[in-house]
């Protein structure tokens, strides 16, 4: 797959190329052009031009129709998108077929539908007698797009998370410049081809490839012509982008890292809690921002839970690799650190040996740890691998205190059969999303995002459309 920039409706590959490496076996599978500053400037200028032209003039119906054509275009090339996502990430085929590509299609369809279903947040007030002389005024609010939106996306769910921003940004009438992760450029390039075929006006969607710091990502987020930044990635990157955006006071929407807790109460359905934690900790080898890395289990069921979770972790066989050699090394360094910090390794703890071509790839074992103090770095820092630490608790208050003692606040999971407890505990967990007796059950209309170092703002349904548009009050003196 040849990665290309897409600027003002033209495919191009300016800039020095860097190799694309398969995480499944370490083979070189392509080359990616590193966008120089001029290409980023050109993309921002093309986006501005589109807003002055037909894309800026497009009404709701036209934009909704464009969203549907894009969804149809992805559907028509479903297999190519699946293959490209697998090649870049090494994920299991079933994951790409049932999660990545269907959700990308769903993202465009959902926002096409929402454009019609949207209750206009257009507040109207008539104010009689606002002045001593009895003057009257009529106020009403219209929403207008922000303008040129920079979208920076990560490698873990490349197509899904990118389209989760592109669809609402375009639906709200903005023009976008997307910079996908340098590790996963392929489905973004395919999306540009689909959008080109779908006949969107040139410059409505632009794509630039390259790295973040000192490169395309930084050029884009510090660009004076960018009106808003939507970013998903690490919290430290969010801080860097915020600093860069501060000069121009550019608004940001941030979906950042997590160190997500699960609370397992003794009254829980233990089968469901164990299987749910296998999913929440090990799906996509732990490389989903929502994955559980801290599990707190009420003491009467602690030993049984640990034994069963450890046994299930050891059974897992068909799992994908870490995204890169560097990320594999980072995760393995945490496995070593955990031992140094005094952890008991219940399952995993190293790199597997398969005896086939996968040994050239970047796999690490699903790992269950116990015995660490809450102050251990392994318990506090996001690892972003297939690993969780399990610790006991004695009371509901203690469980909440442990769960909330984190700089992060993205997602949590509560396992209990006690309805009152579920309702009591859920609002007190300091995360943007709380799942009760389930994990990653998503309705695209609901608010999605984190608190504390896990993000700023919410995505999903109306929440995304609200971020990607600005309320403007019009006041008429009568
Ligand atoms: P990352 O922060 O390293 O990179 C994300 C993107 O930012 C990439 O496109 C990268 O090139 C770019 N970038 C890096 N430095 C930049 C800079 N200084 N200026 C501009 N752009 C820059 O994140 P990653 O490793 O790709 O993804 C994993 C992280 O993303 C984890 O922390 C994970 O928790 C988080 N994440 C969060 C969510 C969420 O919804 N909250 C979802 C997925 C992933």
């Amino acid at each position: 797959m040849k990665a290309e920039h897409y600027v003002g409706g033209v495919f191009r590959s300016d800039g020095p190329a860097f190799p694309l490496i398969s995480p499944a076996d370490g083979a070189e599978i392509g080359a990616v052009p590193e966008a120089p500053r001029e290409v980023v400037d050109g993309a921002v200028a093309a986006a501005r031009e589109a807003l002055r032209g037909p894309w800026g003039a497009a009404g709701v119906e036209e934009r909704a129709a464009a969203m549907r054509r894009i969804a149809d275009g992805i559907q028509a090339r479903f297999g190519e998108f699946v293959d490209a996502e697998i090649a870049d990430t090494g994920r299991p085929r079933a994951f790409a077929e049932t999660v990545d590509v269907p959700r990308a299609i769903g993202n465009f369809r959902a926002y096409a539908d929402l454009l019609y279903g949207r209750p206009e947040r257009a507040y109207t007030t008539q104010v009689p007698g606002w002045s001593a002389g009895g003057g009257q005024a009529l106020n009403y609010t219209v929403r207008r797009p922000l303008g040129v939106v920079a979208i920076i996306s990560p490698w873990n769910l490349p197509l899904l998370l990118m389209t989760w921003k592109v669809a609402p940004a375009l639906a709200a009438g903005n023009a976008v410049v997307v910079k996908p992760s340098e590790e996963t450029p392929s489905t973004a390039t395919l999306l540009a081809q689909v959008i080109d075929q779908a006949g969107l006006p040139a410059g409505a969607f632009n794509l630039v490839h390259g790295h973040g710091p000192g490169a395309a990502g930084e050029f884009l987020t510090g660009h004076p012509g960018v009106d808003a930044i939507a970013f998903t990635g690490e919290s430290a990157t969010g801080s860097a982008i915020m600093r860069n955006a501060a000069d121009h006071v550019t608004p940001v929407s941030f979906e950042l890292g997590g160190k997500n807790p699960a609370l397992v109460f003794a009254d829980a359905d233990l089968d469901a809690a164990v299987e749910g934690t296998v999913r929440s900790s090990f799906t996509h080898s732990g490389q989903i921002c929502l994955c559980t890395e801290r599990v707190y289990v009420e003491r009467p069921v602690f030993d049984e839970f640990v034994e069963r979770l450890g046994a299930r972790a050891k059974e897992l066989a068909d799992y994908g690799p870490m995204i890169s050699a560097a990320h594999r090394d980072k995760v393995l360094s945490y496995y070593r650190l955990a031992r140094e910090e005094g952890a008991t390794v219940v399952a995993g703890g190293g790199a597997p040996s398969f005896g086939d071509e996968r040994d050239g790839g970047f796999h690490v074992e699903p790992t269950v740890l116990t015995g660490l103090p809450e102050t251990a770095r392994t318990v506090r820092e996001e690892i972003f691998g297939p690993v969780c630490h399990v610790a006991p608790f004695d009371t509901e208050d203690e469980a909440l205190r442990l769960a909330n003692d984190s700089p992060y606040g993205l997602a949590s999971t509560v396992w209990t059969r006690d309805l009152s407890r579920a309702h009591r505990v859920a609002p007190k967990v300091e995360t943007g999303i709380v799942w009760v007796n389930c994990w990653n059950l998503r309705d695209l209309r609901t608010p999605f995002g984190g608190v504390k170092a896990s993000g700023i703002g919410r995505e999903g349904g109306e929440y995304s459309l609200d971020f990607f548009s600005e309320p403007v009050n019009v006041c008429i003196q009568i």
Side-chain angles (χ1 to χ4, degrees), residues 355-380:
D356 55 32
E357 72 278 0
R358 284 176 294 172
D359 290 341
F362 311 134
H363 298 75
V364 301
E365 288 174 329
T367 294
V368 177
L369 307 167
T370 58
L372 288 172
E374 288 298 301
T375 50
R377 281 182 51 205
T378 310
V379 181
R380 298 201 69 77

Side-chain angles (χ1 to χ4, degrees), residues 151-157 161 164-165 179-184 210-222 231-238 240-241 244 254-260 287-290 323 327 330 382 384 408 410 433 448-450 454-455 459:
I151 294 175
I152 310 273
S153 49
W155 49 258
N156 67 325
L157 296 160
L161 290 175
W164 182 230
K165 297 183 193 303
K179 195 210 75 68
S181 168
E182 57 277 15
E183 321 263 18
T184 53
H211 289 76
E218 202 173 302
F219 303 154
L220 184 58
T221 50
F231 167 72
T232 298
E234 284 185 24
S235 299
T237 309
I241 289 176
N244 200 15
F254 279 175
E255 299 293 347
L256 307 177
K259 187 74 181 175
N260 306 307
Q287 299 172 109
I288 300 179
C289 53
L290 307 168
I323 187 67
H327 190 51
K330 176 185 157 185
E382 181 184 48
F384 218 54
Y408 293 105
L410 185 54
I433 305 151
F448 179 91
S454 290
E459 298 187 310

Side-chain angles (χ1 to χ4, degrees), residues 67-82 100-109 159 163 187 190-191 194-195:
M67 301 292 109
R68 291 192 209 289
R69 290 199 303 278
I70 297 169
D72 292 346
I74 301 172
Q75 183 73 59
R77 298 175 68 180
F78 193 95
E80 279 178 80
F81 275 93
V82 166
D100 297 296
V101 184
R103 252 299 294 280
I105 296 167
N107 288 340
F108 284 103
R109 295 234 159 96
L159 180 67
T163 53
T187 45
L190 282 179
L191 181 69
V194 162
I195 287 179

Side-chain angles (χ1 to χ4, degrees), residues 102-118:
R103 252 299 294 280
I105 296 167
N107 288 340
F108 284 103
R109 295 234 159 96
Y111 280 100
D113 292 346
L114 258 173
L115 281 181
Y116 287 107
R118 183 164 163 77

